Amino acid sequence: ELVKSYYPMPIALGTAITEKRKIRGGTPALLAELGFPPRTSVDRVSARVPTQEQYRALRLPSDLPVLRTLRVVFSDDERPVEATVMVKAGHLYELQYEFTAE
C-alpha cells in the first residue's frame, strides 16, 4: 500500500507530524493532544488504472486496477485536520462497509 498524508500547516508546524519518524499512538493521538480530536472520517474509494510509479512500487503482476482511497478526517466544527491518499493493488483487497440507521 502506498500512503501519503497531508495536514494543515498551522496544525502540523513544530510538531512530530513534520518529522520523518513514527508517532507514539499515531497521528490521531497527536491531533487529539493538539486540541483537534478526530471526530468524523469520510472515505472516497475509486478503482483506477495505476500510474507507472504505482505499478512499479506495488509490483503489480499485470494491468490490474488499483484502489485509491481519499480519506478526509474532520475534528470539531467540521474542521478538516488530515487528508490521506491510499493506493493499493485492487486484486488483493475487498472493501466492506457497515451503516447504522439513525
Side-chain angles (χ1 to χ4, degrees):
E1 182 176 33
L2 307 174
V3 179
K4 291 183 182 179
S5 295
Y6 305 88
Y7 304 88
M9 189 57 75
I11 293 174
L13 200 60
T15 72
I17 292 173
T18 61
E19 300 171 12
K20 289 191 175 195
R21 65 178 177 89
K22 290 194 177 220
I23 298 172
R24 183 180 297 261
T27 53
L30 179 59
L31 287 169
E33 284 178 27
L34 295 171
F36 303 101
R39 300 289 187 204
T40 306
S41 294
V42 178
D43 283 7
R44 174 177 272 170
V45 181
S46 59
R48 299 184 173 192
V49 174
T51 65
Q52 287 297 318
E53 177 185 342
Q54 292 166 346
Y55 178 81
R56 285 189 299 273
L58 294 171
R59 299 183 192 142
L60 296 173
S62 64
D63 294 336
L64 297 169
V66 292
L67 292 179
R68 178 188 177 270
T69 303
L70 169 61
R71 175 174 294 153
V72 180
V73 178
F74 297 89
S75 188
D76 296 328
D77 299 322
E78 298 181 12
R79 180 178 181 169
V81 294
E82 178 180 353
T84 300
V85 177
M86 297 163 274
V87 177
K88 52 188 102 192
H91 69 295
L92 299 177
Y93 292 89
E94 178 179 3
L95 300 174
Q96 176 177 323
Y97 292 94
E98 184 174 319
F99 299 92
T100 303
E102 292 186 37

